[in-house]
């Protein structure tokens, strides 16, 4: 028997720490290929454009991933092309969401978002909004959730200036990380408390 394999108590079932380890390593490699730095992302976007792909950009804090996020990202992907997700850095998320947030650090939030099938690339951005990223990437479409209208998207002017359009996607805003935190009875006033 392969030294990495061991017999299980269940007949016919073989456990493999090596196989599981290799699968885990492959998944980590795939996710790390999807989480890109600001210097890498424009090169990847240019490559996709050369292949005739449309670029869809969306962004958010994604502090506690929930079904609203999943639906929002699937709907953004359904607009066609490659979906790039900007994840607010920790200071940016704190400024938007308040003291004690984010619950998870940016690199973990980015990894969770990258694990979703609909997402093609993730980048962490430190700015308070995504205008600089829009200027760098010049997306064909900038998708925002249903808590916005096409008229009140803060970055709308930059999207249009860069030749793109805005789209509102996802289901009604019935889910939020803040709501989940309240429902779990967790206080975010004391810092990053664990449920």
């Amino acid at each position: 028997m392969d030294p990495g394999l061991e017999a299980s108590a269940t007949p016919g079932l073989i456990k493999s720490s090596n196989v599981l380890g290799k699968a885990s390593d492959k998944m980590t490699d795939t996710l790390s290929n999807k989480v890109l730095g600001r210097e890498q992302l424009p090169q990847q976007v240019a490559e996709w454009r050369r292949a005739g792909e449309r670029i869809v950009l969306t962004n958010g804090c994604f502090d506690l991933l929930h079904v609203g996020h999943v639906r929002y990202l699937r709907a953004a992907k359904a607009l066609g092309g490659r979906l790039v997700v900007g994840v607010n850095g920790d200071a940016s998320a704190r400024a938007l969401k308040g003291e004690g947030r984010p619950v998870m650090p940016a690199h973990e939030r980015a990894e969770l978002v990258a694990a979703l099938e609909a997402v093609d690339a993730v980048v962490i951005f430190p700015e308070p909004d995504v205008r600089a990223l829009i200027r760098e990437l010049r997306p064909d479409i900038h998708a925002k959730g249903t808590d916005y209208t096409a008229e009140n998207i803060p970055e709308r002017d930059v999207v249009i200036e860069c030749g793109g359009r805005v789209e509102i996607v996802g289901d009604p805003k019935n889910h939020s990380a803040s709501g989940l935190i309240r429902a779990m009875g967790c206080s975010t006033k004391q810092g990053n408390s664990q449920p």
Side-chain angles (χ1 to χ4, degrees):
M1 182 177 284
D2 182 335
L5 300 176
E6 61 184 24
S8 166
T10 307
L13 181 65
I14 295 178
K15 296 188 295 185
S16 170
S17 57
N18 285 348
V19 172
L20 291 177
K22 289 176 186 172
S24 177
D25 290 346
K26 185 176 180 183
M27 176 64 98
T28 300
D29 289 346
T30 300
L31 292 179
S32 65
N33 289 339
K34 288 172 84 174
V35 179
L36 303 175
R38 287 288 279 272
E39 61 288 337
Q40 298 166 300
L41 185 57
Q43 296 167 7
Q44 180 61 67
V45 165
E47 187 178 312
W48 287 332
R49 280 212 165 95
R50 281 192 298 275
E53 306 251 21
R54 180 186 330 203
I55 306 301
V56 179
L57 174 68
T58 191
N59 66 285
C61 292
F62 302 98
D63 196 8
L64 289 177
L65 199 59
H66 55 74
V67 70
H69 290 135
V70 172
R71 291 172 182 167
Y72 161 57
L73 294 172
R74 278 188 193 149
K77 178 68 173 184
L79 295 170
R82 296 294 187 144
L83 179 59
V84 177
V85 181
V87 172
N88 291 78
D90 293 338
S92 169
R94 189 172 305 106
L96 289 168
K97 301 296 183 178
E99 194 58 41
R101 301 283 295 278
V103 175
M104 295 187 305
H107 69 277
E108 290 181 9
R109 292 181 281 124
E111 187 175 337
L112 283 170
V113 171
L116 298 174
E117 184 178 355
V119 175
D120 295 296
V122 178
V123 64
I124 298 169
F125 67 97
E127 297 91 353
D129 64 45
V130 76
R131 285 181 175 98
L133 195 56
I134 291 169
R135 285 188 177 104
E136 289 169 24
L137 303 179
R138 304 181 73 81
D140 300 289
I141 302 170
H142 182 53
K144 294 293 266 189
T146 57
D147 45 339
Y148 291 93
T149 67
E151 291 74 35
N152 74 1
I153 292 175
E155 308 87 7
R156 182 175 190 262
D157 56 335
V158 177
V159 173
I160 293 168
E161 169 191 313
C162 291
R165 72 177 200 267
V166 296
E167 293 283 343
I168 305 300
V169 298
D171 62 354
K173 184 78 172 166
N174 296 330
H175 309 91
S176 73
S178 298
L180 283 173
I181 291 168
R182 281 192 301 276
M184 292 185 301
C186 297
S187 170
T188 60
K189 301 289 185 209
Q190 301 295 327
N192 293 347
S193 60
Q194 295 200 357

